Amino acid sequence: MEKKNIFPQELVDVHGTPLFWTITEAWSQVEGFEAKPDDLLIATYPKSGTTWVSEILDLIYNNGDVEKCKRDAIFNRIPLMELIVPEFLNGVKKLEEMKSPRLVKTHLPVELLPPSLWKNDCKMIYVARNAKDVAVSYYYFHKMAKMFPEPGTWEEFLEEYMTGKVTYGSWYNHVKGWWEKKKDYRILYLFYEDMKEDPKGELLKILKFLEKDFPEEIVNKILYHTSFEIMKDNPTVNYTMVPEDEMNHKISPFMRKGISGDWKNHFTVAQYERFEKYYNQQMEGTTLKFRSEI
Ligand code: A3P
């Protein structure tokens, strides 16, 4: 199947981060995004559990009302701020039209975040996932989501990913940048692996961060509706509402496996060794620690 013409293959460098050319064309609009003090920002490197935490947050914002959260696809309920395709879609505009309190999604690294989000001291939730599982998930996503460049072979993609030549740039830079910002801003830093291991504990952390207190019954309802098994079959969150020529779930479903440690099924021993060596160099000196399996 042909790729959509609006997305040529090459990424464009925006202050050091490779992004879709359409975003770079409209960069001044993204930079000028006007945050409101009660905005909640969901920030992630792609494939780290964005959709999962987004659905959790929309359910929280709607007091666990599952039907209300089926009012539209997740990407319309919580727009990706920086996603602008001229004459086609515009995350910044969509957000401008939304009533407060707004949920705002971004994959931008801290260096590129519009200044008004910092100035307004918005609360932010960052979800990080271990580098190897993100690599695998991103690889399959490149194959199925037509706006991404062709990933080539797994070996080739892994090389591009390690060296930060993929959309949104270096994973290392992203996770470390947000980790550092946590010291000065209201950021709840979560890990995908913790959410898998103890979904209830992590949901309670989110509720505390938002200063919300829900009865046990609503907490359990949110947990049930945000489990992988339920989300996988929910068209408003599994991205099957996107036209097939933009996302082809026959190649790889958006809700692919939803586990920790799938990298073991993909990395050769040589790839693993090379990856770990480079990882240790990149992560040297940070207090940020990941678990690659649970
Ligand atoms: P896999 O490709 O490893 O299965 P994002 O939303 O940031 O694009 O992340 C997508 C990844 O999160 C996919 O990972 C997807 O399966 C996983 N995911 C989505 N919802 C999930 C859930 N409720 N529980 C666990 N994983 C989930």
Side-chain angles (χ1 to χ4, degrees):
M1 194 173 290
E2 285 294 301
K3 295 232 176 227
K4 257 195 128 110
N5 288 335
I6 49 165
F7 291 109
Q9 305 290 309
E10 301 94 52
L11 299 170
V12 179
D13 182 289
V14 181
H15 306 297
T17 300
L19 293 176
F20 299 121
W21 72 276
T22 58
I23 298 182
T24 60
E25 287 224 324
W27 189 247
S28 60
Q29 282 185 61
V30 177
E31 258 184 331
F33 171 76
E34 284 179 37
K36 299 178 182 168
D38 61 353
D39 284 344
L40 177 76
L41 183 74
I42 300 165
T44 59
Y45 188 86
K47 311 321 289 174
S48 302
T50 329
T51 314
W52 188 8
V53 80
S54 296
E55 182 70 350
I56 291 174
L57 285 162
D58 197 36
L59 278 159
I60 293 175
Y61 271 47
N62 286 287
N63 299 309
D65 188 330
V66 174
E67 287 315 307
K68 263 196 191 162
C69 293
K70 290 189 176 153
R71 67 193 179 282
D72 207 338
I74 191 80
F75 47 86
N76 290 325
R77 283 184 270 144
I78 308 179
L80 181 60
M81 177 188 57
E82 68 272 18
L83 188 55
I84 299 182
V85 182
E87 291 163 39
F88 188 58
L89 55 93
N90 188 320
V92 172
K93 278 226 172 78
K94 245 191 215 174
L95 283 157
E96 275 168 11
E97 288 156 12
M98 258 176 176
K99 276 198 227 124
S100 289
R102 304 181 300 184
L103 290 166
V104 180
K105 172 176 137 182
T106 189
H107 290 311
L108 292 173
V110 287
E111 305 84 54
L112 294 187
L113 199 72
S116 75
L117 284 150
W118 303 122
K119 272 192 212 122
N120 280 283
D121 195 25
C122 297
K123 281 192 184 177
M124 304 176 181
I125 296 185
Y126 187 80
V127 184
R129 185 183 193 185
N130 79 81
K132 293 194 285 292
D133 279 336
V134 169
V136 172
S137 184
Y138 214 6
Y139 172 63
Y140 284 101
F141 192 55
H142 272 71
K143 288 168 112 25
M144 69 83 74
K146 300 298 167 188
M147 61 182 170
F148 284 87
E150 289 287 355
T153 63
W154 160 242
E155 174 91 20
E156 284 161 353
F157 178 78
L158 187 60
E159 195 63 34
E160 299 281 286
Y161 171 80
M162 273 173 68
T163 48
K165 295 194 194 100
V166 292
T167 315
Y168 292 107
S170 152
W171 175 91
Y172 313 94
N173 175 58
H174 210 282
V175 295
K176 285 191 292 184
W178 281 94
W179 183 250
E180 288 307 313
K181 282 284 182 191
K182 195 166 78 72
K183 292 177 188 150
D184 300 317
Y185 292 93
R186 299 193 293 170
I187 299 172
L188 177 68
Y189 200 106
L190 300 174
F191 294 91
Y192 180 96
E193 293 74 24
D194 294 346
M195 288 170 65
K196 279 297 306 179
E197 191 176 59
D198 181 15
K200 190 167 189 173
E202 297 307 295
L203 172 56
L204 293 178
K205 261 191 213 169
I206 295 175
L207 288 170
K208 189 167 170 223
F209 181 67
L210 299 177
E211 295 160 83
K212 286 192 190 279
D213 193 11
F214 279 168
E216 185 81 9
E217 185 199 327
I218 297 187
V219 169
N220 289 337
K221 198 169 157 193
I222 294 176
L223 284 174
Y224 176 76
H225 284 282
T226 56
S227 66
F228 182 76
E229 285 64 35
I230 297 297
M231 278 184 60
K232 169 165 81 58
D233 294 329
N234 176 353
T236 70
V237 294
N238 68 12
Y239 279 80
T240 52
M241 285 164 82
V242 174
E244 197 180 290
D245 62 346
E246 289 173 38
M247 283 193 183
N248 189 338
H249 297 264
K250 288 184 200 116
I251 296 176
S252 177
F254 181 90
M255 293 285 168
R256 201 181 54 89
K257 284 197 181 171
I259 57 169
S260 289
D262 190 38
W263 61 269
K264 289 184 183 171
N265 300 315
H266 295 82
F267 280 67
T268 63
V269 172
Q271 284 167 351
Y272 171 79
E273 283 170 358
R274 201 173 126 60
F275 193 90
E276 290 300 289
K277 194 168 165 219
Y278 189 68
Y279 183 96
N280 291 334
Q281 283 166 11
Q282 293 290 316
M283 299 298 275
E284 204 189 332
T286 173
T287 52
L288 177 58
K289 298 280 172 258
F290 281 86
R291 292 188 292 162
S292 301
E293 53 193 299
I294 50 172

